[in-house]
Amino acid sequence: MNHKNVTMKRLTLYIGGLFFLTLGVSLSIQAGLGVSPVSSLAYALVLTSGLSIGITTVLANILFILVQIILSKRMDIKDLMLQLIISVVFGFFMDATLFLVQLLPAPESIVLRCVYLIISLFVVSAGLIGYFTAKLPLMPYDALTYVISEQFKIKFSKAKITGDLVNVFVAAIMGLVFIQSFGAIGIGTIVAAYFIGKILGWMISRFQEPLQQWVSQNEKVIL
């Protein structure tokens, strides 16, 4: 398999992963039970500013890039520009998928809202498999987690938890200050924080190897 073909397949996984990731987040927004930690700040900006989720996603990612620069005390222009481009693509997908999701019946009952939330967990997990398996540049939020891990000499898993908690805390404070409610934060946020990792692990054990073989029989991608 030539290098060009492998690259195209990795791009397909990457773009598809980002699309499903945003679709899952949009479903969680539609459920109205609280969004996942990674999107909590962006959605808090939606509730407090009236801007679209796509625009606030880009703004939140710019903030994550700035924090990376402050913590690492270095600036790799090429890497940061790639992160910014990815942020714009992700923001576009957020607006597009939320528009599509809003064409579905509105979940008025608690049962239907829970169904939307559960579906969103699996869709987000499916998106993450494609995104990580592609092994292409990380989005700002994930890149920031690596910077936190390196700068504070802690395990990546602990850095991830730390980043999620800070994101949720800032989103909650914004909601309380501007709209006098937690807004983006709810039971769905807690559910997503706990179960997405579990579901992702289950999916990886069943679908990771076939995806790797599809990309290239000679390359072994390790998550």
Side-chain angles (χ1 to χ4, degrees):
M1 183 178 294
N2 60 50
H3 179 71
K4 183 178 179 180
N5 201 9
V6 170
T7 301
M8 289 303 298
K9 288 189 175 184
R10 290 173 66 192
L11 279 172
T12 299
L13 272 181
Y14 189 74
I15 299 299
L18 291 181
F19 179 82
F20 275 95
L21 183 53
T22 57
L23 179 60
V25 172
S26 294
L27 284 168
S28 72
I29 291 174
Q30 189 75 340
L33 296 173
V35 298
S36 62
V38 66
S39 300
S40 57
L41 180 57
Y43 193 56
L45 288 170
V46 170
L47 297 177
T48 57
S49 69
L51 297 171
S52 75
I53 185 65
I55 293 174
T56 60
T57 295
V58 175
L59 293 176
N61 279 310
I62 290 174
L63 177 61
F64 298 147
I65 291 173
L66 293 175
V67 175
Q68 286 180 58
I69 295 172
I70 294 171
L71 290 179
S72 64
K73 298 178 182 178
R74 66 175 183 268
M75 184 183 296
D76 185 328
I77 299 298
K78 181 180 178 180
D79 181 56
L80 296 179
M81 287 302 297
L82 281 173
Q83 288 189 41
L84 184 59
I85 292 171
I86 295 166
S87 299
V88 172
V89 173
F90 193 78
F92 171 77
F93 281 168
M94 279 301 315
D95 276 339
T97 55
L98 187 58
F99 172 78
L100 293 174
V101 166
Q102 289 175 340
L103 296 177
L104 300 173
E108 298 178 355
S109 68
I110 187 64
V111 173
L112 190 54
R113 290 168 72 184
C114 288
V115 169
Y116 271 57
L117 176 61
I118 292 171
I119 293 174
S120 76
L121 301 179
F122 283 89
V123 176
V124 166
S125 299
L128 287 173
I129 289 179
Y131 165 62
F132 284 123
T133 300
K135 288 295 181 181
L136 292 175
L138 295 173
M139 290 189 293
Y141 188 80
D142 298 311
L144 176 58
T145 303
Y146 276 102
V147 171
I148 292 173
S149 177
E150 291 174 358
Q151 294 301 311
F152 294 99
K153 310 300 181 184
I154 57 178
K155 292 181 179 179
F156 180 81
S157 58
K158 290 184 178 180
K160 171 68 173 171
I161 293 171
T162 301
D164 285 349
L165 288 175
V166 171
N167 213 28
V168 169
F169 178 76
V170 173
I173 293 299
M174 287 183 61
L176 289 173
V177 171
F178 292 102
I179 59 175
Q180 290 74 56
S181 77
F182 285 115
I185 311 304
I187 186 63
T189 307
I190 299 172
V191 170
Y194 180 79
F195 282 103
I196 285 178
K198 300 287 186 181
I199 296 171
L200 180 59
W202 173 79
M203 285 188 170
I204 285 174
S205 66
R206 285 160 176 77
F207 304 116
Q208 178 185 21
E209 187 174 348
L211 282 174
Q212 293 172 347
Q213 292 176 349
W214 178 73
V215 172
S216 173
Q217 293 181 353
N218 298 320
E219 281 191 356
K220 184 174 179 59
V221 180
I222 302 175
L223 293 180

